[in-house]
Amino acid sequence: MLSARNRLDGEVVDVKTGDVTAEVVLDVGGEEVAAVITRESAENLEIEEGMELTAVVKATDVMLRSD
């Protein structure tokens, strides 16, 4: 269980791995959310396209923009 309230359920649509990090892109209700994690974590979680994941957002600052 986590105390974080900002959770976004989505489907992995892209995974790009580098030497040290991996960028994981989720489709969350038609919008893309990207996370950069360690490559080791991506491998341990066996992240692949089509997998359902939850992004947990913990931040002290949130910026909003209106066009």
Side-chain angles (χ1 to χ4, degrees):
M1 181 177 245
L2 292 173
S3 63
R5 294 182 182 160
N6 302 313
R7 296 178 221 172
L8 305 169
D9 296 322
E11 179 181 330
V12 177
V13 293
D14 193 23
V15 181
K16 296 179 185 134
T17 55
D19 293 335
V20 178
T21 61
E23 179 184 50
V24 181
V25 181
L26 300 180
D27 179 311
V28 178
E31 297 292 331
E32 289 189 348
V33 174
V36 177
I37 63 174
T38 64
R39 179 180 180 162
E40 182 178 5
S41 292
E43 290 171 352
N44 289 341
L45 292 168
E46 299 178 353
I47 295 174
E48 58 186 32
E49 287 185 34
M51 183 178 195
E52 296 291 325
L53 288 180
T54 300
V56 180
V57 181
K58 181 171 172 91
T60 56
D61 297 306
V62 175
M63 291 183 232
L64 300 175
R65 177 184 164 192
S66 175
D67 290 323

